[in-house]
Amino acid sequence: FLAAEGVADSLIRADSPEAFLATPGLDALRFPEHAQVSEAVEPAQYRVYPETPAAEVLDLMIRRELPAVPVVGEGFEVLGVVSSEDALRHLLAAERLGDQVELTARDLMTRQVLCVSEDQELRDVAHLMINRGAAQLPVVREGQFVGFVTRDSALATLGGGEGSDEDPA
């Protein structure tokens, strides 16, 4: 950015914050400390409905190695999340009880789910995840589920490691 023609001169000549911010190309720079959730969201690939049989949810999570699956309504609003912890709890209880009842995603899911918006500050959401012990949080846009922000995606974005091909050694 600084090597581009005229950029350094423009920054040096800036006599006000407005002039500094008007430097060509400055708006394209990414400052991790001001990153938004949208920069770290992992887009939704899978979602289930409340009526989805529990066996299908578990199979999906195992086959696709998913740590969580959102349970959405007809308008793709988040109704709950089935986490790997929820799935394990179900498997162990069914094994112990010899459960013959046909359960659904609604029966497995955690209902009280904290969702975040794409335009929230990523630092704030990262603090929230740490304080609440959440490995991932659903991200919504206009009330509809769009993906998850995870601890790993937040770390990569805030740490500047996103898309880095450099050898750490």
Side-chain angles (χ1 to χ4, degrees), residues 98-139:
D99 197 13
Q100 299 299 319
V101 178
E102 188 64 36
L103 298 178
T104 64
R106 180 186 324 270
D107 300 314
L108 302 182
M109 72 183 189
T110 297
R111 296 172 194 277
Q112 294 181 350
V113 179
L114 175 64
C115 295
V116 296
S117 159
E118 289 180 306
D119 59 358
Q120 284 183 257
E121 289 282 330
L122 184 56
R123 277 191 184 282
D124 295 341
V125 171
H127 281 291
L128 188 63
M129 288 173 39
I130 291 167
N131 291 335
R132 299 247 177 144
Q136 70 272 325
L137 292 174
V139 178

Side-chain angles (χ1 to χ4, degrees), residues 134-152:
Q136 70 272 325
L137 292 174
V139 178
V140 295
R141 179 188 313 129
E142 297 178 10
Q144 294 185 339
F145 175 74
V146 294
F148 282 106
V149 61
T150 66
R151 288 181 184 176
D152 290 342

